[in-house]
Amino acid sequence: MPKSAYLLRWRVMDGLEALVAAIWPRHFHRALPYVMLLPAVLLVLLLVIGMIQIGDSSARTLDRSTFLPSDFYTAGNYQRIFTDGLYWSILWRSLLGSVIVTALCLVFAFPYSYLMVRTPSALLRKFLLIALFLPFFIGQVVRAYGWLIILGNQGVVNEMLGLIGVAPIRLLYNYPAVLFGLVQYMIPFAVLMLAPALTAIPEEMESAANSLGANWWRTFIHVVLPMARPGLVGAGLVVLTLSLTDFAMPAILGGGSQDFIANAIYDQFFRTSDQGMGAALTLILVGVGSLLVGVVFTLFGAGTLAMGRDRK
Amino acid sequence: MTQPLSKSIVIWAMVIVVLIVLSAPTIVVLGASLTSGNIITFPPDGLSLQWYAKIAMAADLRNAFLRSLAVASICTLIAIPVGTLAGIALSKYAVRFEHALQIYLLLPFTIPLIGSGIGLMLLFGEWGLLGQIWPIGVACCVINLPFMIWAVTASASSLDPDLELAAANCGAPPVATFFHVTLPAVLPGVISGSLLMFILALNEFLVSLLLTDARTVTLPVQIYNSIRSIITPDLAAISVVFIVCAALVIALLDRLVGLDIFLKSK
């Protein structure tokens, strides 16, 4: 029985080889990597076509009498965005928020990542990894829901304050609550982008700095931090762009009063039904995001974000 | 190397803050789901599993969860071949326009989720695909594809190209070389990448929110819609479903490839 199974497998493999050789002769081999990349390129093409659609919609203003988008192209939507203070304040709120969130995330993710990479205890490392992955894998909505339970007016924190006789404080539906939720959401991303860069720093480097008389703080500033730059760039970029464009945290923890750009876009599509306006806002967000990524890439390189063979 | 005390204190203090902030929502949701009262209070009124019994009976929640599972499965099934082939191609071959291709394949990350979601919504709407489950799976696959490609390239770049030449030298034809040498080498990356794709698609919220309607609502969107009204413990009980799924995926990751894979320097 095992013998016949073997032979069948051989025959199947021979058949496969013959089939592959027939449809893909050897002299085509130079095209092979492109064929392998084709499905991925086609999938991402969906996004590109989607962006073109958005571009098309963004150039059509909504006709208020018929509630149909205009047939002709105009820059009306963009004009309205740039002259309306409301959008400027939303854009400013999102940009400022994402910068603050990025700074906080990097500061707190660094020691976590460092301890995780450097600890000699495999058990502690595993614990830190699990504590990191669990919230990462739970999803934003559930985490935001957890914060509603903790920070709400009848939430855990206020009930605890009540026990010691402090009146309830409004902890939710304000800017700090949104930023706090975002930091909590982004820390796993930051740690995971930092960790490979920290692993790449040989521990002997730190020992060497120590034996040359640097205390741990100076070692950190002059040795660890500069060598961790690819990780900091990768982590910073991911956190910056993800928090700039986040929807769920401002929606749930901001309670509608702390909208980020993504919330404004959603409202244009689903509340005001002004598709052109929403599309224009989307394109501006894509532009601002790409600009940020481009600036960081040209200044610092791709960091730990690079894929493929030549990593810097 | 022994660490100075002040350094340990600073590091541990910050790590403990992070640990508390990271774990608080999970723990509170778990606790709230076990309450015996009708509203969530602290300290809890008492322990009961009544909310689990309640959600087990709710057909809409069960259907939403099944739809989320379907979306995640479709996403993963597409991502495995697409991401594996692309990852191997990027790490093994000298591809022309490699830099441009990399930037292109990173588009799902550089285009904000709301942009991708709206773009796909307009596109799928035009093609008459809205209102079905599988386009949501495709969308989740597109937006997270770089994760899959990363995972595979990380494994593939540790594969010595001489091994494939050696296999060929020993008489193995291309397909046999692929299945016996290349694929086993990238398998850890494929496993970790597909688990990541699965759990991210299971949790995917914003793109699902844009692409679903009342008939195809997925569980995260369902929870989001219910959060708005009032916070009841049954929501906490559903959320525990996600916590359990996350724990399962972590256990699988640890078993199959080891969580340490994420710490490797590339």
Side-chain angles (χ1 to χ4, degrees), chain B:
Chain B
M1 188 171 74
T2 53
Q3 304 285 356
L5 186 65
S6 58
K7 179 181 178 183
S8 303
I9 291 175
V10 170
I11 288 181
W12 271 103
M14 292 177 80
V15 168
I16 286 169
V17 170
V18 174
L19 277 175
I20 292 172
V21 171
L22 279 181
S23 321
T26 319
I27 293 167
V28 164
V29 166
L30 273 175
S33 73
L34 294 169
T35 186
S36 59
N38 284 327
I39 51 162
I40 293 166
T41 54
F42 182 85
D45 294 338
L47 291 179
S48 94
L49 291 174
Q50 57 159 328
W51 297 108
Y52 289 93
K54 206 160 247 174
I55 59 163
M57 305 301 290
D60 54 336
L61 293 176
R62 203 171 49 235
N63 289 337
F65 179 61
L66 289 179
R67 278 191 290 264
S68 279
L69 277 183
V71 165
S73 309
I74 293 167
C75 161
T76 316
L77 286 179
I78 301 172
I80 289 176
V82 173
T84 308
L85 289 178
I88 293 176
L90 276 179
S91 54
K92 260 184 51 182
Y93 299 99
V95 186
R96 260 168 181 252
F97 313 115
E98 184 167 357
H99 196 64
L101 258 174
Q102 281 201 23
I103 292 176
Y104 177 80
L105 290 177
L106 269 176
L107 275 181
F109 279 3
T110 44
I111 297 178
L113 271 186
I114 181 95
S116 311
I118 298 248
L120 290 174
M121 180 183 84
L122 296 177
L123 196 62
F124 289 167
E126 189 145 293
W127 293 349
L129 298 175
L130 289 178
Q132 299 178 58
I133 302 287
W134 67 267
I136 308 172
V138 174
C140 289
C141 180
V142 175
I143 57 170
N144 290 323
L145 193 63
F147 280 121
M148 186 77 204
I149 301 180
W150 259 335
V152 175
T153 47
S155 295
S157 49
S158 62
L159 165 70
D160 189 339
D162 288 349
L163 278 179
E164 287 169 331
L165 294 178
N169 214 13
C170 294
V175 179
T177 309
F178 180 79
F179 278 110
H180 295 298
V181 180
T182 317
L183 204 56
V186 298
L187 203 58
V190 175
I191 293 172
S192 58
S194 42
L195 282 172
L196 218 58
M197 295 298 284
F198 184 86
I199 196 74
L200 290 175
L202 191 70
N203 290 326
E204 176 50 47
F205 162 65
L206 181 53
V207 169
S208 300
L209 179 71
L210 294 170
L211 295 180
T212 53
D213 55 28
R215 290 162 298 156
T216 55
V217 66
T218 57
L219 194 49
V221 179
Q222 176 95 20
I223 296 178
Y224 173 77
N225 288 336
S226 326
I227 278 180
R228 270 92 179 284
S229 41
I230 193 157
I231 299 179
T232 49
D234 58 337
L235 272 190
I238 321 164
S239 305
V240 172
V241 171
F242 281 110
I243 300 178
V244 171
C245 290
L248 274 178
V249 166
I250 293 173
L252 268 176
L253 259 181
D254 194 36
R255 252 295 161 75
L256 296 175
V257 291
L259 289 175
D260 290 3
I261 196 173
F262 293 97
L263 301 181
K264 267 199 209 146
S265 79
K266 297 188 213 169

